[in-house]
Amino acid sequence: MMQTKPNAMHTRPKTAAIAIDVAESSNRTAALVWMFVLALLIALFSSVAFESVAAATEPLDTSGRHPLYYKSLPPGAIWQSPAAVTMQQGTFQPVAFSGPAGTKFSLPLAGSHSEEEPDLMAGLMVGAVYRFRITGIPDAIGAELYPTVELIGRIYPPRGLETLYPIPINLNESDLQEALDGNLVTRVVYLEDPQTAIPLAQQRTESRPIDIPLDQDALATADSFGRPVAIVRLGSKSPPRNPALTSQFYFGFPAWAPIYKPEPMPETP
């Protein structure tokens, strides 16, 4: 994915000067008529110019929202939509987490969390919502974040190569800092359209995020570039102190499959 910035185009109304010479011998009534017509033209021109400037400074049109998504939807609502019945529920999709140097990731396991790893990879169930934990955040000693990842699709690599092509969940330092400041960061991960994808090779831990305005629909934007497969919501929520609310916080502890990295082959003498 690439880094882009929204551009704004401003229009400045043009002014026109119109001079009318009225001879001293002309009729006074005719002169008054011409002055009245001139005043109407100036008023009309000013009105059109003002409307053009107002239209250029208005925010982006938000009427064409994604039919399955808007910002106030809680995690998991997209899967519950009747339009999502074509997804394959129960399929485990490999997902790989990565972030700035020093950060570690873990998934909920038996009321606690799995072992923290800087490049955690696991099989997550399509259609489920997982709340994972991030520790070791740069310049935030002792801070922890608990984002969610909602799988709304899967990818189809060659059989036997599923773990070589996981869905990458790459979070940068700016994302983490925004969450620590109390803001909500939403990332939509999509599979690029092969007809329009940028022909540049990249590693699994690399990404080219596209930052969009707050009033623009992230899922609709991802649809225009490819096929969305995951939604990551990164905020400042933390686990509840009441144990009775723990299951709700972790969305019922959906099952996930650990993916172990192969041990390196011993060097031959």
Coordinates of all heavy atoms in Angstrom, one line a residue, residues 79 86-95 124-128 150-163 165-168 189-192 226-231:
W79 N -20.0 -9.1 9.8 CA -20.2 -10.5 9.5 C -21.7 -10.9 9.8 O -22.2 -11.8 9.1 CB -19.3 -11.4 10.4 CG -19.7 -12.8 10.4 CD1 -20.4 -13.5 11.3 CD2 -19.4 -13.7 9.3 NE1 -20.5 -14.8 10.9 CE2 -19.9 -15.0 9.7 CE3 -18.7 -13.6 8.1 CZ2 -19.8 -16.1 8.9 CZ3 -18.6 -14.7 7.3 CH2 -19.1 -15.9 7.7
T86 N -22.1 -15.1 2.0 CA -21.2 -15.8 1.1 C -19.9 -16.1 1.7 O -19.1 -16.9 1.1 CB -21.1 -15.0 -0.2 OG1 -20.5 -13.7 0.1 CG2 -22.4 -14.8 -0.9
M87 N -19.5 -15.5 2.8 CA -18.2 -15.8 3.4 C -18.2 -17.2 4.0 O -19.2 -17.7 4.4 CB -17.9 -14.8 4.5 CG -17.9 -13.3 4.1 SD -17.5 -12.2 5.4 CE -17.9 -10.6 4.6
Q88 N -17.0 -17.7 4.1 CA -16.8 -19.1 4.6 C -16.5 -19.1 6.1 O -15.4 -19.0 6.5 CB -15.7 -19.8 3.8 CG -16.0 -20.0 2.4 CD -15.0 -20.8 1.6 OE1 -14.0 -21.2 2.2 NE2 -15.2 -20.9 0.4
Q89 N -17.5 -19.2 6.9 CA -17.3 -19.2 8.4 C -16.7 -20.6 8.8 O -17.0 -21.6 8.2 CB -18.6 -19.0 9.1 CG -18.4 -18.8 10.6 CD -19.8 -18.5 11.3 OE1 -20.8 -18.7 10.7 NE2 -19.7 -17.9 12.5
G90 N -15.8 -20.5 9.8 CA -15.2 -21.7 10.3 C -13.9 -22.0 9.6 O -13.2 -22.9 10.0
T91 N -13.5 -21.2 8.6 CA -12.2 -21.4 8.0 C -11.1 -20.7 8.7 O -11.3 -19.5 9.1 CB -12.2 -20.9 6.5 OG1 -13.2 -21.6 5.8 CG2 -10.9 -21.0 5.8
F92 N -10.0 -21.3 9.0 CA -8.9 -20.7 9.7 C -7.9 -20.0 8.7 O -7.4 -20.7 7.8 CB -8.1 -21.7 10.6 CG -8.8 -22.0 11.8 CD1 -9.7 -23.1 11.9 CD2 -8.7 -21.2 13.0 CE1 -10.4 -23.4 13.1 CE2 -9.4 -21.5 14.1 CZ -10.2 -22.6 14.2
Q93 N -7.8 -18.7 8.8 CA -6.9 -17.9 7.9 C -5.7 -17.5 8.6 O -5.8 -16.8 9.6 CB -7.7 -16.7 7.4 CG -6.9 -15.7 6.7 CD -6.2 -16.1 5.4 OE1 -6.9 -16.7 4.6 NE2 -4.9 -15.9 5.3
P94 N -4.5 -17.8 8.1 CA -3.2 -17.3 8.7 C -3.2 -15.8 8.7 O -3.4 -15.2 7.7 CB -2.1 -18.0 7.9 CG -2.8 -19.2 7.2 CD -4.2 -18.8 7.0
V95 N -2.8 -15.2 9.9 CA -2.7 -13.8 10.0 C -1.4 -13.5 10.7 O -1.0 -14.2 11.7 CB -3.9 -13.2 10.9 CG1 -3.7 -11.7 11.1 CG2 -5.2 -13.4 10.2
L124 N -6.6 -17.5 12.4 CA -7.8 -16.9 12.9 C -9.0 -17.3 12.1 O -8.9 -17.5 10.9 CB -7.7 -15.4 13.0 CG -6.5 -14.8 13.7 CD1 -6.6 -13.3 13.8 CD2 -6.3 -15.5 15.1
M125 N -10.2 -17.5 12.8 CA -11.4 -17.9 12.1 C -12.0 -16.8 11.3 O -12.3 -15.7 11.9 CB -12.3 -18.5 13.1 CG -13.5 -19.3 12.5 SD -14.6 -19.9 13.8 CE -13.5 -20.9 14.8
V126 N -12.4 -17.0 10.1 CA -13.1 -16.1 9.3 C -14.5 -15.8 9.9 O -15.2 -16.7 10.2 CB -13.2 -16.6 7.8 CG1 -14.0 -15.6 7.0 CG2 -11.8 -16.8 7.2
G127 N -14.8 -14.5 10.0 CA -16.1 -14.2 10.6 C -16.0 -13.9 12.1 O -17.0 -13.3 12.6
A128 N -14.9 -14.2 12.7 CA -14.8 -13.9 14.2 C -14.1 -12.6 14.4 O -13.4 -12.0 13.6 CB -14.1 -15.1 14.8
E150 N -11.1 -8.0 12.9 CA -12.3 -8.7 12.4 C -12.0 -9.2 11.0 O -11.8 -8.4 10.1 CB -13.4 -7.7 12.4 CG -14.7 -8.3 11.9 CD -15.8 -7.3 11.8 OE1 -15.6 -6.1 12.2 OE2 -16.9 -7.6 11.3
L151 N -12.0 -10.5 10.8 CA -11.8 -11.1 9.5 C -13.1 -11.2 8.8 O -14.1 -11.8 9.2 CB -11.2 -12.5 9.7 CG -9.8 -12.6 10.2 CD1 -9.3 -14.1 10.1 CD2 -8.8 -11.7 9.5
I152 N -13.2 -10.4 7.6 CA -14.4 -10.4 6.8 C -14.1 -11.1 5.5 O -15.0 -11.0 4.6 CB -14.8 -8.9 6.6 CG1 -13.7 -8.2 5.9 CG2 -15.2 -8.3 7.9 CD1 -14.1 -6.7 5.5
G153 N -13.0 -11.8 5.4 CA -12.7 -12.5 4.1 C -11.5 -13.4 4.3 O -10.9 -13.4 5.4
R154 N -11.1 -14.0 3.3 CA -9.9 -14.8 3.3 C -9.2 -14.7 2.0 O -9.7 -14.2 1.0 CB -10.2 -16.3 3.6 CG -11.2 -16.9 2.6 CD -11.2 -18.4 2.7 NE -10.0 -19.0 2.4 CZ -9.8 -20.3 2.2 NH1 -10.8 -21.2 2.3 NH2 -8.6 -20.8 1.9
I155 N -7.9 -15.2 1.9 CA -7.2 -15.2 0.7 C -7.0 -16.7 0.3 O -7.1 -17.6 1.1 CB -5.9 -14.5 0.8 CG1 -5.0 -15.1 1.9 CG2 -6.1 -13.0 1.1 CD1 -3.6 -14.4 2.0
Y156 N -6.6 -16.9 -1.0 CA -6.5 -18.3 -1.5 C -5.1 -18.5 -2.1 O -4.9 -18.5 -3.3 CB -7.6 -18.5 -2.5 CG -9.0 -18.4 -2.0 CD1 -9.6 -17.1 -1.9 CD2 -9.7 -19.5 -1.5 CE1 -10.9 -17.0 -1.4 CE2 -10.9 -19.4 -1.0 CZ -11.5 -18.1 -0.9 OH -12.8 -18.0 -0.4
P157 N -4.1 -18.7 -1.3 CA -2.8 -19.0 -1.8 C -2.7 -20.5 -2.3 O -3.6 -21.2 -2.1 CB -1.8 -18.8 -0.6 CG -2.7 -19.1 0.6 CD -4.1 -18.7 0.2
P158 N -1.6 -20.8 -3.0 CA -1.5 -22.2 -3.5 C -1.5 -23.2 -2.3 O -1.1 -22.9 -1.2 CB -0.2 -22.3 -4.2 CG 0.1 -20.8 -4.6 CD -0.5 -20.0 -3.5
R159 N -2.1 -24.4 -2.5 CA -2.3 -25.3 -1.4 C -0.9 -25.7 -0.9 O 0.1 -26.0 -1.6 CB -2.9 -26.6 -1.9 CG -3.2 -27.6 -0.8 CD -4.0 -28.8 -1.4 NE -5.3 -28.4 -1.9 CZ -6.4 -28.3 -1.1 NH1 -6.3 -28.6 0.2 NH2 -7.5 -28.0 -1.6
G160 N -0.8 -25.7 0.5 CA 0.5 -26.0 1.1 C 1.4 -24.7 1.4 O 2.4 -24.8 2.1
L161 N 1.0 -23.6 0.9 CA 1.8 -22.4 1.0 C 1.0 -21.3 1.8 O 1.3 -20.1 1.8 CB 2.2 -21.8 -0.3 CG 3.0 -22.7 -1.2 CD1 3.3 -22.0 -2.5 CD2 4.3 -23.1 -0.5
E162 N 0.0 -21.8 2.6 CA -0.9 -20.8 3.3 C -0.1 -20.0 4.3 O -0.4 -18.8 4.4 CB -2.0 -21.6 4.0 CG -3.1 -22.2 3.1 CD -2.6 -23.6 2.6 OE1 -1.5 -24.0 2.9 OE2 -3.4 -24.2 1.9
T163 N 0.9 -20.6 5.0 CA 1.6 -19.8 6.0 C 2.6 -18.9 5.4 O 3.2 -18.0 6.1 CB 2.3 -20.7 7.0 OG1 3.2 -21.6 6.3 CG2 1.3 -21.6 7.7
Y165 N 1.8 -16.9 2.9 CA 1.0 -15.7 2.4 C -0.1 -15.4 3.4 O -1.3 -15.6 3.1 CB 0.4 -16.0 1.1 CG 1.5 -16.3 0.0 CD1 1.8 -17.6 -0.3 CD2 2.2 -15.2 -0.6 CE1 2.8 -17.9 -1.3 CE2 3.2 -15.5 -1.6 CZ 3.5 -16.8 -1.9 OH 4.4 -17.1 -2.8
P166 N 0.3 -15.0 4.7 CA -0.8 -14.7 5.6 C -1.3 -13.3 5.4 O -0.8 -12.5 4.6 CB -0.1 -14.7 7.0 CG 1.3 -14.3 6.6 CD 1.6 -14.9 5.2
I167 N -2.5 -13.0 6.0 CA -3.0 -11.6 6.0 C -2.1 -10.8 6.9 O -2.0 -11.1 8.1 CB -4.4 -11.5 6.4 CG1 -5.3 -12.2 5.4 CG2 -4.9 -10.1 6.6 CD1 -6.8 -12.3 5.8
P168 N -1.4 -9.7 6.4 CA -0.5 -9.0 7.3 C -1.3 -7.9 8.1 O -2.0 -7.1 7.5 CB 0.5 -8.3 6.3 CG -0.3 -8.2 5.0 CD -1.3 -9.3 5.0
V189 N -7.6 -3.8 5.8 CA -6.6 -4.6 5.0 C -7.3 -5.2 3.8 O -8.4 -5.9 4.0 CB -6.0 -5.7 5.9 CG1 -4.9 -6.4 5.1 CG2 -5.4 -5.1 7.2
Y190 N -6.8 -5.0 2.6 CA -7.4 -5.5 1.4 C -6.4 -6.2 0.6 O -5.2 -6.0 0.6 CB -8.1 -4.3 0.7 CG -7.1 -3.3 0.2 CD1 -6.5 -3.4 -1.1 CD2 -6.8 -2.2 1.0 CE1 -5.6 -2.4 -1.5 CE2 -6.0 -1.2 0.5 CZ -5.3 -1.3 -0.7 OH -4.5 -0.3 -1.1
L191 N -6.9 -7.1 -0.2 CA -6.1 -7.8 -1.2 C -6.1 -7.0 -2.5 O -7.2 -6.7 -3.1 CB -6.7 -9.2 -1.5 CG -5.9 -10.1 -2.4 CD1 -4.5 -10.4 -1.8 CD2 -6.6 -11.4 -2.7
E192 N -5.0 -6.6 -3.0 CA -4.9 -5.7 -4.2 C -5.5 -6.4 -5.4 O -5.4 -7.6 -5.6 CB -3.5 -5.3 -4.4 CG -2.9 -4.3 -3.4 CD -1.5 -3.9 -3.8 OE1 -0.7 -4.8 -4.0 OE2 -1.2 -2.7 -3.7
G226 N -9.3 -3.0 -4.1 CA -9.2 -4.4 -4.1 C -10.3 -5.1 -3.3 O -11.5 -4.6 -3.3
R227 N -10.0 -6.2 -2.6 CA -11.0 -6.9 -1.9 C -10.7 -6.9 -0.4 O -9.7 -7.5 0.0 CB -11.1 -8.4 -2.4 CG -12.1 -9.2 -1.6 CD -12.4 -10.5 -2.3 NE -11.2 -11.3 -2.4 CZ -10.7 -12.2 -1.5 NH1 -11.4 -12.3 -0.3 NH2 -9.6 -12.9 -1.7
P228 N -11.5 -6.2 0.5 CA -11.2 -6.1 1.9 C -11.2 -7.5 2.5 O -12.1 -8.3 2.2 CB -12.3 -5.2 2.4 CG -12.8 -4.4 1.3 CD -12.6 -5.3 0.1
V229 N -10.3 -7.8 3.4 CA -10.3 -9.1 4.1 C -10.2 -8.9 5.6 O -10.5 -9.9 6.3 CB -9.1 -9.9 3.6 CG1 -9.2 -10.3 2.2 CG2 -7.8 -9.1 3.8
A230 N -9.9 -7.8 6.2 CA -9.8 -7.6 7.6 C -10.0 -6.2 8.0 O -9.6 -5.3 7.2 CB -8.5 -8.2 8.2
I231 N -10.6 -5.9 9.2 CA -10.7 -4.6 9.7 C -10.1 -4.6 11.1 O -10.4 -5.4 12.0 CB -12.2 -4.2 9.9 CG1 -12.9 -4.2 8.5 CG2 -12.3 -2.8 10.5 CD1 -14.4 -3.9 8.6

